[in-house]
Amino acid sequence: MDRLGEKNVAIVSGASRGIGRAIALKLAKSGYDIAMIAAHDNERAQMTLKEVKAYADQSSFFECNVANPVQVAKTLEEIKARYTDFDVLVNNAGITRDKLLLSLSEEDIASVIDVNLLGTIYMTKACLKTFLRKKSGSIVNISSIVGLTGNVGQANYAASKAGIIGFTKSVAKEYGKKNIRCNAVAPGFIETDMTDLMSDEARKNIFEKIALARLGQADEVANLVNFLVSDQASYITGQTISIDGGL
Ligand code: NAI
């Protein structure tokens, strides 16, 4: 079966808004058709899809909870039915449930690990057969600086993001011989809905710790992801690249 259109295809999870939206737009401008994935955010996803389609008209949106392996498998079948093949996977979907450890409920802990870490693992596993058949593929997992440093009030989130780093290194080692690269990106504080929740005081405290004295922009993370998936990064795998303004 011929693939739809001439372009390479990138799957981007959490693509409805924030960093995922910026990644979807950047990769669309770089020449990929985008298979966007998001959950509980259909209206924003449709708005983003419209923007993405201005650069990559065969792009599409799939509603899928990445924490649910049955939905992930079904969505991958739908993506393959539409495009036959794909070339890039960006695991960006993520959530926070910030509280001190003693106040975290089992639900707060499990939901963050389920979406951030297990979602990344399920999506990657579901994409691997296609990458192995093509003998090429590039995966970028969005971790966080908090996965490297830890943070007060984010024990569940830090554990999920540190888990992504170990997972990334393992996938890079298991599948490097098959020409599949896997890297992680560890953003610091980036201006999105997620960081809008921060108080003015928390913002001021953070600015004092950032060498560049400002929050990052989603586009700046998208530029790094665009580089990592491209052939310009053909000898980079198993790495975690921080993008944090010198935090
Ligand atoms: P956001 O809250 O603006 O967007 C999250 C995206 O993930 C949305 O598209 C949402 O639909 C999707 N999503 C949430 N749960 C999902 C699920 N179960 N299944 C499928 N999709 C789901 O978040 P933001 O700020 O754009 O963050 C994106 C990624 O970057 C996350 O993994 C986050 O942890 C990470 N990150 C963000 C930082 C920041 O400062 N904003 C810093 C470091 C990492």
Side-chain angles (χ1 to χ4, degrees):
M1 190 168 40
D2 287 340
R3 68 193 295 171
L4 182 69
E6 297 292 305
K7 295 182 170 191
N8 287 349
V9 174
I11 301 174
V12 181
S13 75
S16 62
R17 61 176 191 258
I19 295 172
R21 170 184 165 274
I23 293 169
L25 274 167
K26 182 74 195 178
L27 295 183
K29 287 178 193 169
S30 289
Y32 289 90
D33 278 322
I34 312 296
M36 292 172 45
I37 288 176
H40 326 297
D41 202 18
N42 280 2
E43 213 170 296
R44 297 276 290 274
Q46 292 301 343
M47 282 161 58
T48 300
L49 178 61
K50 225 172 164 184
E51 294 176 289
V52 167
K53 276 189 156 185
Y55 304 97
D57 63 355
Q58 299 298 336
S59 299
S60 41
F61 167 60
F62 301 84
E63 188 182 12
C64 169
N65 174 4
V66 296
N68 180 327
V70 177
Q71 279 188 36
V72 167
K74 184 170 160 279
T75 302
L76 258 293
E77 286 314 309
E78 288 168 8
I79 291 174
K80 283 188 223 167
R82 178 163 167 77
Y83 297 103
T84 313
D85 259 355
F86 47 85
D87 311 87
V88 162
L89 168 66
V90 182
N91 285 306
N92 164 79
I95 59 169
T96 49
R97 296 276 184 277
D98 296 352
K99 280 173 211 158
L100 295 178
L101 179 56
L102 272 177
S103 304
L104 283 173
S105 67
E106 283 174 12
E107 216 286 305
D108 292 329
I109 298 166
S111 59
V112 168
I113 302 286
D114 282 355
V115 175
N116 299 3
L117 179 56
L118 298 189
T120 297
I121 296 175
Y122 296 147
M123 285 292 300
T124 304
K125 188 167 178 239
C127 290
L128 264 177
K129 270 195 188 148
T130 295
F131 291 150
L132 284 169
R133 183 171 45 71
K134 289 165 59 80
K135 297 191 181 63
S136 85
S138 179
I139 303 162
V140 174
N141 299 322
I142 307 299
S143 175
S144 166
I145 201 74
V146 168
L148 292 164
T149 61
N151 199 18
V152 174
Q154 291 198 301
N156 52 349
Y157 183 76
S160 73
K161 294 297 187 180
I164 286 177
I165 292 170
F167 175 69
T168 300
K169 289 177 196 284
S170 303
V171 171
K173 286 188 173 171
E174 279 186 29
Y175 299 102
K177 284 194 188 75
K178 304 291 183 187
N179 194 31
I180 297 169
R181 295 186 298 109
C182 185
N183 290 292
V185 166
F189 291 90
I190 310 297
E191 241 175 316
T192 67
D193 287 5
M194 213 176 243
T195 42
D196 275 355
L197 301 172
M198 276 171 16
S199 67
D200 287 347
E201 200 190 337
R203 258 169 204 270
K204 195 171 156 277
N205 288 339
I206 280 162
F207 279 8
E208 280 165 13
K209 295 187 184 129
I210 301 174
L212 293 179
R214 63 171 177 86
L215 297 189
Q217 297 299 312
D219 282 350
E220 295 175 306
V221 179
N223 287 339
L224 175 58
V225 173
N226 186 50
F227 166 71
L228 283 174
V229 303
S230 77
D231 285 345
Q232 297 202 340
S234 51
Y235 203 52
I236 301 177
T237 195
Q239 302 305 303
T240 301
I241 318 275
S242 296
I243 174 161
D244 61 6
L247 189 66

